[in-house]
Amino acid sequence: MQGDSVRIMYVHVPSAWISLGIFSSMAFLSILVFIFKNKNLVIITKSLAPSGFVFTLIALVTGSIWGKPTWGTWWAWDARITSMLILCIFYILYILSWRILENKTSVNKVTSLISILGLINLPIIKFSVEWWNTLHQPASITLSGSSIHSSMLLPLFIMTAAFVLFSILIF
């Protein structure tokens, strides 16, 4: 029913999934940094942040482009969209902390805290469409199945795999 505008799904959805996955990885690694004080984990986490930020921006921009013909507006203060914007702000805070703070010990603690606090936002992003009445559609792909036709599902998974490989290349 959405016509050609639905094709943006093949960029929007993988970008959103990958941005959430990267931030989850950053938060998990940050917890390990607090526990084990491993400098290699800090380097890995720091290296993941820019690509996660880019994928979050792509998800926000493509969602806005998709929203215009679907909802009639470029931006709506929808629960999922707003929580993705908050995730983008967490990425910005994380990256800026590395640029602003000079003491390595304090920057490791601050950036780890930013990622761990940002972890609270991830379930809000995931379940926002179920908790609140929003414009954004609920999840079309769940563990119990998919409401997307297989002719659209296969290209979506191929694009997701391509984006994952690209994010690994960037890393």
Side-chain angles (χ1 to χ4, degrees):
M1 291 175 57
Q2 294 180 21
D4 286 334
S5 67
V6 78
R7 293 181 186 184
I8 204 158
M9 168 183 70
Y10 300 113
V11 175
H12 173 72
V13 174
S15 297
W17 285 346
I18 290 171
S19 71
L20 293 171
I22 289 174
F23 201 88
S24 299
S25 301
M26 289 172 53
F28 176 71
L29 291 171
S30 294
I31 292 169
L32 294 179
V33 166
F34 268 126
I35 295 170
F36 299 113
K37 311 281 190 252
N38 187 327
K39 302 294 182 195
N40 292 330
L41 297 177
V42 173
I43 294 168
I44 293 169
T45 308
K46 181 182 177 185
S47 300
L48 286 170
S51 58
F53 173 66
V54 168
F55 281 113
T56 304
L57 280 179
I58 292 170
L60 285 170
V61 169
T62 56
S64 181
I65 294 169
W66 195 3
K68 180 61 175 163
T70 306
W71 301 329
T73 184
W74 291 100
W75 183 266
W77 288 99
D78 179 80
R80 180 163 285 172
I81 299 168
T82 305
S83 54
M84 278 299 285
L85 179 63
I86 292 169
L87 179 66
C88 188
I89 292 169
F90 273 109
Y91 273 117
I92 291 169
L93 289 172
Y94 185 92
I95 293 168
L96 282 178
S97 296
W98 277 104
R99 303 223 185 258
I100 294 171
L101 300 175
E102 295 178 14
N103 183 353
K104 291 295 181 192
T105 306
S106 64
V107 75
N108 289 346
K109 289 179 183 177
V110 168
T111 54
S112 292
L113 283 173
I114 289 170
S115 338
I116 293 167
L117 286 174
L119 189 62
I120 296 167
N121 190 39
L122 298 185
I124 294 171
I125 294 170
K126 169 70 176 126
F127 296 110
S128 61
V129 292
E130 297 169 17
W131 293 341
W132 297 290
N133 185 18
T134 66
L135 289 173
H136 203 281
Q137 70 181 43
S140 299
I141 301 171
T142 61
L143 293 176
S144 60
S146 170
S147 61
I148 299 175
H149 190 270
S150 61
S151 65
M152 295 172 69
L153 195 58
L154 181 62
L156 181 62
F157 286 144
I158 290 171
M159 283 299 294
T160 303
F163 276 40
V164 167
L165 291 174
F166 181 66
S167 66
I168 291 169
L169 179 68
I170 292 171
F171 171 73

